[in-house]
Amino acid sequence: MHTNTDTKTLQYDIRPSFQAEGEISSSFNKLAHILIDNNIHIIDGFIGVNWEFVINKIKKEFEDYDIIPHFVAIDDALLSEEIINNLVMPYLGGDDPLFGKKSLLPLSSFFDTKKIEQFREALRESTEYIIFYGVGAALLDSTNTLMYVDLPKSTLIQRMRAGQAWNLGCSNSKDPKQIYKRYYFIDWEALNDHKRSILPRIEIMADQQSDETLPWILGRDLRQTLHQMSINYFRVKPTFESGVWGGQWMKEHLTGIDQNAKNYAWSFEMIVPENGLTLKSNDQVLEISFDQLMFSESKNVLGLAQPRFGVEFPIRFNFLDTFDGGNLSIQCHPSPQYAKSEFGENFTQDETYYIVDRKGDAQVYLGFQEDIDQEKFRSALEQSFDTGESIAIDQYIQMFESKKHQLYLIPHGTVHSSGIDNLVLEISATPYNFTFKMYDWVRPDLDGKPRPLNIKRAFDNLNFNRKGEVVNETLIVKPITLKIDDQAEKVHLPTHEDHFYDVVRYDFDREIRIETNNQCHILMLVEGEAIELTTANGMKQVFHYVETFAIPAAAGWYLLRNLGTQQAKVIQSFVKDSKCNQF
């Protein structure tokens, strides 16, 4: 165990929260009162919301005010499923089981313009209290305030897997992987752009991840809370996923994690497209999507990096757990040009592996052997795929002993994998879906079906110059240590030129003061028990071993104080100044 204390206050928090400005309420009576007082006739929301629950509760409260509202589902104005399927088809990658291309389709393109105009006319001229609700309802009115019902993407995925949520405009069940592919490349793009456009007009923000309660917050309080985050700190709500190679480290070490799962392969510590932010007020909590922070406060969050990345958060932290598990697939990631042309991504999946823990003879696979023969390697991969026969992969790929606190660099095109018995902190550019698997140890996925391989895409991107001694010289980091004072050191772990982010570790006994230099810092305590953060604005928060948090650029400076009995080691990543204006 690495939580070197039995004190419950020094444990990993799987449900972190930020103190909200104003009140979070779950009162439907108060909610109806605000809707009526503000003359709100639009309730928009995210895909996957249980609208029957929301509308039935609101309707009952309206009737207590002697108002009989007429509720109209905006879904009635959607184009037919056939038309929508034809509309999105060009972005779905044909027969590719995993990859499509990010769509530029606005949410309005999913709706029948004549029906939308009829609804607008009804909204303008109706003499009764009419409320239009559903995904895209705000398209009917571009000026007035509205209510929005959000749904965490983690909850949406759970509902999708349970057959309770589908793609926008679709009612029939499909393979969950295909539903997810369309979410990522099409639905989320349209819905996020729509949410961004209406966020300033939202009078009430609600969270519908439960069918028993509907916590909500006033829009002005939400925006003030997001501003406070943008000048102090934030920590997203982590999510955990099992996988065919998943391990047992997280199950054994992370307090409160579900012990019924077979394993955990990933922990999404900060993967912005999927993580949420939890707000608290007294005994009430409400979760919103992380992108709301970026839509409202991207300049404060990203500082110098904002002109390049806009409202996209550039860096992700996640765990790969192979303790008593299996090897990851042999893989690589696309070049920036390939990611843009093939998938519509603005930047690519340049990665690093930071070893938080390991045991036994754990290995990292990185780069090719000096004598690599491209054609021989490809032939072996394709034969294995066709016949199901295993490969002696170390004939082609180099293996290095995994060392605790070592950083391994994986710029795009680099062949790599984590071996068994590692806990890897993957510090990476944010895109997270673009892994081209070449060899997966001839094993089925958790569903018993073969895992898709991407040999052709991999060979379109592999860099065969990363081989032999070049790998040791350029991809295995040689730390540069700078003594700060008698109890603290700054350890620079320089990344590759292809990485737009840098990595530093602070090792200290008592405390350390760090300037943001107008960059957002993403941090994790990778050794020690707990640290206390104090921001320049006086806000304090305790973070425990292996918890990820971020300090926005606008915070200016912050203080980290070691609360444990051993030296604290805090890893930090941020965008390089030299990369802020490169596109």
Side-chain angles (χ1 to χ4, degrees), residues 500-511:
F500 62 68
Y501 57 90
D502 211 346
V503 178
V504 168
R505 195 182 70 233
Y506 289 94
D507 300 350
F508 56 99
D509 296 326
R510 296 189 298 276
E511 65 180 28

Side-chain angles (χ1 to χ4, degrees), residues 118-128 130:
Q118 289 171 3
F119 282 175
R120 284 180 180 147
E121 185 176 352
L123 186 59
R124 288 192 300 265
E125 299 181 1
S126 177
T127 57
E128 61 182 335
I130 187 169

Side-chain angles (χ1 to χ4, degrees), residues 152-167:
K153 291 191 175 81
S154 57
T155 303
L156 168 62
I157 291 167
Q158 290 171 7
R159 291 182 181 179
M160 176 266 289
R161 289 171 176 167
Q164 299 169 348
W166 300 272
N167 292 119

Side-chain angles (χ1 to χ4, degrees), residues 278-490:
T278 302
L279 313 181
K280 66 178 178 181
S281 173
N282 297 324
D283 61 344
Q284 298 286 330
V285 295
L286 172 146
E287 186 175 345
I288 59 170
S289 56
F290 179 92
D291 48 34
Q292 292 185 43
L293 175 63
M294 297 304 294
F295 295 158
S296 298
E297 301 286 350
S298 63
K299 184 62 178 176
N300 275 355
V301 173
L302 293 184
L304 288 175
Q306 197 270 345
R308 175 174 180 179
F309 295 102
V311 297
E312 292 187 276
F313 193 79
I315 298 172
R316 67 177 165 91
F317 274 26
N318 64 278
F319 282 132
L320 307 172
D321 180 357
T322 64
F323 261 64
D324 300 314
N327 299 317
L328 270 67
S329 62
I330 301 296
Q331 57 190 243
C332 75
H333 304 296
S335 70
Q337 299 78 15
Y338 193 93
K340 183 68 175 177
S341 63
E342 291 289 313
F343 310 126
E345 291 284 355
N346 292 323
F347 47 105
T348 193
Q349 196 166 326
D350 288 313
E351 294 182 342
T352 65
Y353 281 178
Y354 183 87
I355 307 301
V356 175
D357 204 355
R358 47 94 65 206
K359 69 175 183 177
D361 60 350
Q363 304 283 317
V364 170
Y365 296 83
L366 188 67
F368 290 109
Q369 298 288 1
E370 180 64 46
D371 61 353
I372 184 68
D373 182 316
Q374 297 185 35
E375 292 308 314
K376 227 171 139 180
F377 180 49
R378 183 165 188 165
S379 177
L381 294 173
E382 290 174 343
Q383 182 176 346
S384 173
F385 180 73
D386 291 337
T387 64
E389 296 176 359
S390 60
I391 298 174
I393 204 69
D394 57 354
Q395 292 182 12
Y396 308 96
I397 313 298
Q398 294 193 76
M399 298 169 63
F400 295 89
E401 180 186 1
S402 166
K403 296 181 180 179
K404 191 172 180 179
H405 298 305
Q406 175 68 53
L407 185 68
Y408 301 86
L409 305 182
I410 311 169
H412 57 267
T414 305
V415 66
H416 67 281
S417 170
S418 169
I420 297 169
D421 291 334
N422 282 317
L423 181 71
V424 175
L425 168 59
E426 193 171 51
I427 303 172
S428 174
T430 291
Y432 61 107
N433 271 337
F434 304 100
T435 299
F436 302 148
K437 302 180 183 71
M438 291 164 269
Y439 180 65
D440 200 33
W441 315 96
V442 198
R443 63 189 171 194
D445 209 340
L446 290 179
D447 59 9
K449 299 177 182 178
R451 299 185 86 201
L453 298 184
N454 312 103
I455 296 172
K456 181 184 183 305
R457 288 193 186 275
F459 273 75
D460 288 342
N461 287 275
L462 279 169
N463 185 334
F464 283 91
N465 292 320
R466 292 183 181 142
K467 62 180 182 177
E469 186 56 27
V470 169
V471 175
N472 187 54
E473 293 173 354
T474 63
L475 301 183
I476 300 179
V477 169
K478 283 54 174 188
I480 303 169
T481 300
L482 172 68
K483 189 174 180 63
I484 297 173
D485 55 34
D486 66 340
Q487 56 87 45
E489 294 179 338
K490 180 179 180 179

